[in-house]
Amino acid sequence: MGFAASVTLGLAGLFALAWVLRAGARALLTGHSRSIASDMPLTAAFGLLVIVIYAFVAIAAPLLAPFPERDIVGTQFQAWSADHPLGTDRIGRDMLSRLIYGARNTVGIAFATTALAFVVGSLLGLWAALTGGWLDQILSRFVDALMAIPALIFSLLLLTIFGTSVLSLILVIAAVDATRVFRLARSVAQGIVVMDYIEAARLRGEGAWFLIRREILPNAMAPLVAEFGLRFCFVFLSISSLSFLGLGIKPPTADWGSMVRDNATLITFGDVTPLLPAGCIALLTVAVNFVVDWQLYRASGLREATQ
Amino acid sequence: MILTRIALGVGLLFVVSLVIFWATELLPGDLATQLLGQSATPETVAALRAQLGLNDPAPVRYWAWLTGALTGDFGVSLANNRPIADLIGARLGNTVFLALYAAALSVPIALTLGILSALWRNSIFDRMANAGALGAISLPEFFIAYILVLWLAQTGFFPSMVRINPTTTFGDRLYMTFLPALTLTLVVTAHMMRMTRAAIINLMASPYIEMARLKGLSPLRIVLRHALPNALAPIINVVALNLAYLITGVVVVEVVFVYPGLGQLMVDAVSNRDIAVVQAIALIFAAAYIGLNLIADVLSTITNPRLMHRR
């Protein structure tokens, strides 16, 4: 169980570092940013730290990785050694390097997909709420029908039709998740479009695009940002699951989901290496959840109410 | 009340079948060219079109597909020309078995944990259970599955692969499918537990609970006799929603444990682009999903007289 101990130690180290950074931020910052740092729970600080580390690894991947992503640099399934800190995979590629490049590929693709789902879903949702009438009815009923099919099953159906490539993966997952974003954006906007200032802007003769951009969107931002975090987690998990099933991002591109699938045989021999990419996925999801929790807590004004 | 809900469910299922069927019409060009690729000769494309019945207008094909599906005839697989009903047959039973097994494990555990953490709110137990639940929700299913394999199959307690044949006894089956069922249990228990806890805590604030407390009843009795019956509707809803979630969870878990179920068949069909099989399985999964939601609504209506006699 030396491995479990080192994982626990690593997590504890991250928590300690998060605590130190938070204390540093409290001491150095002034004004508004200081008040944010001072009521940030430790879990949120930990989440932010993890997200920053992932972002750094994703951006600096070529500098950090000891070997190129796709090169075969050893024999297959080598054990952990000084040359290959995490050993090699099924055909002799360096595991550590692929893990590092995976941050760029997997997280990058998940991020792009979430962003696409968000732009499409929230714009349509806001537009539907603003316009109302038959447009709203058609879009909402259509989304209802799509949401009656379980997300993974619907994605599998669409992937069969469009074929399994990275582009179709992004488009399919974005389309499926846009329906969920649409629901939320529409219900948030419905509370806003009845406000007097929207009426006033309408009487001024502003068009729909101006209303969405300048009047509704700024007021709907808080719940949408929190939803972005949650949605990212869902998208990230479904992309990883599909890649794990061999239907998403495919080798030789380094991707955490397919790395688990590729090397899964090692697990039956008691080797933990194939679990590392899955652990990377889990750690990021937990971190994002922590930050989203904190944001929701701040947005809901619970802190003021309890004081 | 209940009849309108059932009618709505059937209507929804009809719409969903339309969506599943018409998804193939979304393609630029047609299915036959798409399946065969750019290099296909016109003759092979024409042959495949004839085989798929693509020369008929879409409504005719939809009607034939739907009536076939209702009588259990899903047509033939594009990959190996075997009747889809034969491919699905035994696998459907295996998947239902696994889902029921996971449900039988997870529902009692989730309800007990939920009630206990509502009872001991803000205690160490409650915090641990909540943290565990949040963690379990964030983990990919295959991660949980492989950790279980590492801990329980590696040490020789349970098999990491499921080999079922007609001679397998029920006990052996329970033993062999324990790890997949446990994985699914861990995945769905968290959400069920949190919702049960929230539903009960919500009720604990109402005046009649305070009355019961002032009468001097024990906390356990208050929760079980006074709060739980009124919390049944939301709890039933959450249980059904999670059983519906099992349907998608089953796909990944079946692949990890090489379990001969529908999910595995569907994944294979997706990589072969065997659209006929995928459509059939998607219809079955969607029907189960809609059916479970329908049952949840009906049951929570029955348990709540106020919903039963609305207006």
Side-chain angles (χ1 to χ4, degrees):
Chain A
M1 280 292 102
F3 180 72
S6 53
V7 166
T8 319
L9 209 66
L11 287 180
L14 275 178
F15 264 106
L17 185 57
W19 188 85
V20 169
L21 286 178
R22 187 180 61 168
R26 278 177 189 166
L28 294 176
L29 294 175
T30 49
H32 181 61
S33 45
R34 181 182 175 156
S35 75
I36 293 178
S38 68
D39 65 34
M40 180 194 285
L42 186 56
T43 49
F46 169 80
L48 276 179
L49 177 67
V50 170
I51 293 172
V52 169
I53 293 176
Y54 272 70
F56 173 73
V57 170
I59 293 167
L63 302 175
L64 294 173
F67 296 99
E69 162 183 10
R70 296 166 186 211
D71 287 10
I72 297 170
V73 291
T75 53
Q76 57 175 359
F77 291 140
Q78 268 173 271
W80 296 13
S81 64
D83 279 351
H84 305 285
L86 298 179
T88 56
D89 74 354
R90 197 168 54 97
I91 58 171
R93 292 172 293 209
D94 183 55
M95 273 301 267
L96 178 65
S97 309
R98 287 180 68 74
L99 214 53
I100 290 172
Y101 275 101
R104 174 177 274 198
N105 300 330
T106 315
V107 180
I109 288 174
F111 190 79
T113 310
T114 319
L116 184 61
F118 241 79
V119 171
V120 174
S122 60
L123 280 185
L124 282 179
L126 299 181
W127 189 40
L130 183 68
T131 318
W134 59 267
L135 176 85
D136 186 23
Q137 281 300 323
I138 290 177
L139 281 176
S140 300
R141 294 295 83 77
F142 180 64
V143 164
D144 283 350
L146 293 190
M147 283 181 67
I149 308 174
L152 179 65
I153 304 300
F154 195 44
S155 317
L156 287 178
L157 177 70
L158 291 180
L159 280 177
T160 322
I161 296 165
F162 294 108
T164 52
S165 67
V166 171
L167 182 66
S168 62
L169 177 76
I170 292 178
L171 292 179
V172 162
I173 303 277
V176 171
D177 275 82
T179 58
R180 274 74 178 168
V181 179
F182 172 88
R183 265 278 181 84
L184 179 93
R186 178 174 168 274
S187 67
V188 169
Q190 272 184 329
I192 297 174
V193 290
V194 291
M195 296 294 204
D196 287 342
Y197 57 82
I198 300 288
E199 191 65 37
R202 272 201 179 135
L203 290 175
R204 273 205 315 271
E206 306 288 5
W209 176 234
F210 180 90
L211 285 172
I212 290 177
R213 195 165 44 93
R214 298 297 297 275
E215 307 284 348
I216 302 178
L217 205 51
N219 291 297
M221 221 48 204
L224 284 182
V225 167
E227 171 73 5
F228 188 88
L230 283 182
R231 218 15 76 197
F232 173 79
C233 289
F234 281 115
V235 167
F236 188 49
L237 286 179
S238 40
I239 287 185
S240 309
S241 298
L242 287 172
S243 302
F244 171 76
L245 294 174
L247 307 171
I249 312 167
K250 286 181 183 157
T253 306
D255 159 73
W256 291 337
S258 52
M259 280 167 75
V260 177
R261 172 196 179 82
D262 256 16
N263 304 303
T265 36
L266 279 184
I267 296 176
T268 43
F269 298 108
D271 188 337
V272 290
T273 315
L275 285 179
L276 293 177
C280 291
I281 295 168
L283 182 62
L284 182 60
T285 335
V286 173
V288 173
N289 264 326
F290 279 158
V291 175
V292 169
D293 245 22
W294 171 54
Q295 282 298 323
L296 282 176
Y297 187 69
R298 266 163 52 85
S300 67
L302 277 175
R303 192 176 58 82
E304 283 84 348
T306 49
Q307 270 176 357
Chain B
M1 209 45 231
I2 293 173
L3 284 180
T4 38
R5 183 63 188 85
I6 292 176
L8 257 175
V10 174
L12 189 59
L13 190 55
F14 176 71
V15 174
V16 164
S17 75
L18 267 178
V19 171
I20 291 176
F21 182 81
W22 249 278
T24 56
E25 309 287 312
L26 284 173
L27 278 179
D30 81 357
L31 187 63
T33 18
Q34 190 72 206
L35 288 175
L36 291 171
Q38 293 295 322
S39 55
T41 59
E43 291 81 46
T44 46
V45 173
L48 187 62
R49 281 185 65 91
Q51 189 204 337
L52 294 175
L54 285 180
N55 296 322
D56 293 332
V60 175
R61 277 184 289 132
Y62 172 68
W63 184 246
W65 179 71
L66 187 68
T67 46
L70 287 178
T71 53
D73 170 23
F74 290 99
V76 294
S77 153
L78 303 185
N80 51 19
N81 277 322
R82 288 174 56 191
I84 294 173
D86 289 358
L87 290 174
I88 289 176
R91 284 168 174 266
L92 179 61
N94 287 343
T95 293
V96 170
F97 176 79
L98 179 59
L100 286 181
Y101 191 3
L105 285 178
S106 60
V107 172
I109 295 178
L111 292 190
T112 317
L113 283 179
I115 291 171
L116 286 182
S117 58
L119 200 60
W120 300 325
R121 184 146 53 122
N122 294 331
S123 67
I124 298 283
F125 174 80
D126 182 29
R127 278 155 203 256
M128 295 291 286
N130 266 317
L134 246 184
I137 290 174
S138 322
L139 303 181
E141 287 108 346
F142 55 87
F143 187 46
I144 299 180
Y146 280 128
I147 287 183
L148 287 180
V149 168
L150 197 64
W151 277 354
L152 295 175
Q154 240 327 96
T155 44
F157 288 126
F158 293 97
S160 64
M161 278 193 196
V162 184
R163 291 198 192 81
I164 292 177
N165 51 49
T167 56
T168 320
T169 61
F170 187 69
D172 275 355
R173 227 178 135 124
L174 283 182
Y175 171 70
M176 280 200 285
T177 41
F178 180 72
L179 282 189
L182 187 62
T183 308
L184 285 172
T185 304
L186 288 179
V187 172
V188 294
T189 300
H191 190 225
M192 271 196 274
M193 184 218 110
R194 278 167 74 94
M195 295 301 285
T196 308
R197 176 181 177 274
I200 290 182
I201 283 180
N202 207 10
L203 274 174
M204 293 300 264
S206 44
Y208 77 92
I209 296 288
E210 199 176 353
M211 177 67 201
R213 207 175 277 147
L214 290 175
K215 279 196 305 193
L217 297 182
S218 74
L220 188 65
R221 194 179 155 81
I222 292 176
V223 167
L224 290 184
R225 288 294 303 273
H226 295 257
L228 196 56
N230 280 304
L232 268 184
I235 292 176
I236 288 175
N237 250 318
V238 140
V239 168
L241 261 181
N242 279 283
L243 295 188
Y245 181 77
L246 278 179
I247 292 168
T248 43
V250 122
V251 176
V252 174
V253 172
E254 281 182 4
V255 172
V256 172
F257 292 99
V258 204
Y259 185 86
L262 277 190
Q264 178 111 55
L265 180 63
M266 185 169 192
V267 170
D268 290 346
V270 175
S271 31
N272 294 335
R273 302 195 68 182
D274 190 344
I275 186 75
V277 173
V278 174
Q279 276 180 327
I281 300 175
L283 188 65
I284 292 175
F285 277 147
Y289 186 73
I290 292 170
L292 279 168
N293 278 311
L294 178 64
I295 292 171
D297 273 9
V298 170
L299 279 183
S300 53
T301 310
I302 291 174
T303 52
N304 190 342
R306 272 171 300 191
L307 288 178
M308 194 77 166
H309 305 287
R310 196 154 42 185
R311 250 151 291 174

